[in-house]
Amino acid sequence: MAEPDLNQQIAARVRHLRADRGITLEALADRSGVSRSMISLVERAETSPTAVLLEKLAAGLNVTLASLFEPPAGTASPVARRSDQTAWRDPASGYVRRNISPHFHPTPIQIVEVTFPAGARVAYDAAPRQTPAHHQVWVLDGRIEVTVGEQTHELAAGDCLAFVLDRPTAYRNRTRKPARYAVVMVADPGLPR
């Protein structure tokens, strides 16, 4: 479960991104497919949102999922110390994601490390984005399946899969051991994070 202060941070970030873009709750609900009441609960930190829900909000805000874990404001630095990297546990699948990239550094690249429990599965809808998000998944330890649209890719340690996040995507660990992988995301360089 996410720590209360991380839920507060996610809430502040979603509120900030929505306000910065001049998007109403109703407009974000229409864009994301998440109800207005659920968005309100997220923005007030009265729920522990799942990765699937946060991905829908990210798509509606036209940002990467990783950007929702950044503090709402801060100073850019080219270095991200491990102690400053945000780690979050998805309450639905139990996977733990850690944002590796420095916060607020002006780059279109974001790196996330995921520890995926044995038997876990998470599936994301293909929420439309104004700008495509390019992903590469590099398996560091273990084995996972990644399904992009209708195509399933079985990946082992050292394997890397590249795709555009424009179709339903699912991650699955069918093994009895946790897997660990890195996701490198590139959005349009002109997009605000």
Side-chain angles (χ1 to χ4, degrees):
M1 183 166 153
E3 297 174 15
D5 60 317
L6 188 51
N7 282 337
Q8 292 286 339
Q9 183 174 313
I10 292 167
R13 183 70 172 152
V14 171
R15 276 192 319 269
H16 170 79
L17 288 167
R18 187 173 62 78
D20 191 50
R21 288 159 173 73
I23 301 171
T24 65
L25 280 172
E26 291 80 12
L28 182 54
D30 288 343
R31 290 180 182 189
S32 66
V34 176
S35 73
R36 183 184 182 283
S37 61
M38 180 54 77
I39 296 168
S40 183
L41 288 172
V42 170
E43 287 190 356
R44 292 191 321 263
E46 293 179 2
T47 186
S48 293
T50 65
V52 172
L53 180 112
L54 290 175
E55 171 58 28
K56 288 179 179 182
L57 291 176
L61 292 164
N62 203 36
V63 298
T64 62
L65 176 59
S67 70
L68 296 184
F69 297 95
E70 292 182 352
T75 305
S77 171
V79 176
R81 303 285 178 210
R82 183 172 177 94
S83 60
D84 296 330
Q85 295 169 358
T86 305
W88 175 80
R89 180 179 306 276
D90 177 31
S93 68
Y95 89 77
V96 176
R97 62 180 293 126
R98 185 167 56 93
N99 282 13
I100 305 297
S101 299
H103 296 307
F104 311 112
H105 189 70
T107 177
I109 302 166
Q110 292 177 309
I111 303 171
V112 172
E113 178 188 42
V114 176
T115 303
F116 210 54
R121 182 178 188 277
V122 64
Y124 302 100
D125 293 335
R129 280 188 159 73
Q130 294 171 355
T131 306
H134 298 266
H135 282 204
Q136 290 194 20
V137 175
W138 178 30
V139 179
L140 304 170
D141 295 307
R143 302 178 68 82
I144 61 170
E145 281 182 4
V146 181
T147 302
V148 180
E150 299 294 320
Q151 192 169 23
T152 298
H153 306 273
E154 294 186 23
L155 306 174
D159 294 346
C160 184
L161 170 66
F163 60 95
V164 176
L165 191 61
D166 61 356
R167 292 163 279 171
T169 305
Y171 294 79
R172 186 167 196 166
N173 180 352
R174 291 185 183 271
T175 73
R176 294 181 182 172
K177 295 181 180 178
R180 193 170 61 91
Y181 58 91
V183 181
V184 179
M185 297 162 269
V186 179
D188 182 315
L191 266 179
R193 287 178 37 189

